[in-house]
Amino acid sequence: MEAPIPGRSMPDDAQRSDLRFAQLKAALPQRGVVGYVGDAGESGIASYYLSQYALAPLVLDRSLNHPFVVGNFPSNPPAASVENLRLVKDFGDGVLLFAGEDQP
Amino acid sequence: MLAALLALLCAASGVLLVLLLWPRESALGMNWLLQGCLGLGCGLGLFSVIFFVSRASGSTNLLVVDFAVFALLLAGYVFRRRRTAVVTTTHLSDEKTDPDWLLLVLRAALAIALLAALYSAILRIIAHPHGDGWDAFAIWNLHARFLFRGGVHWRDGFPLIPWSHPDYPLLLPAAIAHFWTGLGYESQIVPALIGLVFTFGAIGLLFSSLAMLRGQISAILGGLTLLATPFFIEQGTAQYADVPLSFFILATIVLLCLYEQNSGSRRPQGLLVLAGISCGFAAWTKNEGLLFLLAILAARLLLFFITQSRSVRAEAPPRPYITYENARQASTSLAFFLAGIVPLLLLIAWFKHSVGASNELFSSIVFHKLLDASRYHAILKWYGKDFLRFGDWLLIPGTALLAGLYFAAPDERMQAADPAFGASRMALVMTLAGYFLIYLITPYDLYWHLRFSLNRLFLQLWPAVIFLFFVRIPVLIPTSSNVESVSK
């Protein structure tokens, strides 16, 4: 018995999310675990689920303690760099790939 | 071409499974629809099992396995046809006694409702290609992607996404992944079509079973009741698992009732095996199906023990609805029912063990919640409210309509209930009670949990409730066939 989080997705949210992440998906390994950083709040949860849906079976862990971290800021792209992370590539439309500061 | 072949294999395997277990001499009018609807659901169930077992065993050539299963079922069916037919006495209502004018009006109404529902469903599929709502992409289709994209490593990610309920059974995701693997690519039309099959399959199953047991007027009224439940069509196209679960709950109850309709020493035990398979598929669809499975088993056992205890009390007056089976017959029936259930239960146990995920509802049971009267009050209030509104009815709630009809009907509704009806009704009540208990102990905020799940839980049982209602209620126009059927 699942209890969905309040609110409903827009009709084509999943489709749009798949398109947004298509380029990043090709740049990441197919399996394994990467970090995830995104908007806060309820919309942030929806974005996180949609990102996981787009990038499966790669697992997105909502943590920065990974060599690579997926950044997802569909509505508010971060003005400055995210703390302790180095931007590797901006894929546009709020999709970013970060690496930990200590990564080569 | 490949898509058509896969769909054909799936449907044919399911129909063959049904025919293999179907009593030979009961193939009377309307059965093609009943067997077809059951076959489609069972075919999807079979496809999910084939995919899961193939994945787990590392088999790569899925199409070969599909053909092997199909060939086995075909061989079994051909072999069975050559044997002496088992004579059964399935009761059918005499359709000719229904007034022509009324049938004509009702048939037209059903046709219009069916077309409207189909039109609405197709529009919804176009508008929501990935399903409508969180669970579609955060649970069911996500699991399908893990199964399809992950290959032999599909399991690796499951324990790492606890928010996606990795312990949820895989009938729907594995059936979707089976088609995707066969096609070689992901197509969103697959989950959408599977949703359509279960939605309209449930309507066809309800209609055809009622037509067989109670005549066309009951069948059309039952079909109209379900078609006039907007939430059923919405959920059926939302790519959630609630409507598929409702299909298997209905199928289990229909098959048990059909079994009870066949009297005599050589009862069609195949129907019991098929009912067990359907019940197992319910548990393989959602965890609530597991609750239903336990409830139907408990209800059948309970009814049997009540019967036995009453039969040994000579002073007890005879009760017309008491089961007709003695202890030996009942044990045999239970064994056949379990023969259908057990393989799927083992599969579920294997899956749950292999992903190693526990259900969040039972991960931290706080017993003091069971003593909190305010929780009982809140749940009862929501049960009362959702009883009248879960179907998203515009004006008159379908539940209120059925309740009104029930109280307006003559007293004969209380007579001659057969054991399958009694056990099914008891099982549905037990399932509702089980949902109640889960709400009592839920780790989530109670109001939030009730708000976003209770209507779907009611929907899971709704087709079965409609079936049981129209099976028992005297048909509105009294005919000889109805009287015969009620007294059976």
Side-chain angles (χ1 to χ4, degrees), chain A residues 1-2 6-7 18 53 56, chain B residues 134-135 145 149 438 448 456-457:
Chain A
M1 177 162 52
E2 69 274 11
D18 277 1
Y53 181 60
Chain B
W134 292 71
D135 288 9
R145 283 189 170 184
R149 296 178 179 178
I438 286 172
W448 174 85
R456 284 182 294 117
L457 297 188

Side-chain angles (χ1 to χ4, degrees), chain B residues 41 79 82 108 142 168 171 181 196 235 262 361 370 428 459 481:
Chain B
F79 175 74
R82 287 183 179 171
L142 176 63
Y168 279 12
L171 186 138
T181 307
L196 272 189
Q235 279 296 297
N262 286 267
L361 293 172
L370 293 172
L428 294 185
L459 191 73
S481 67

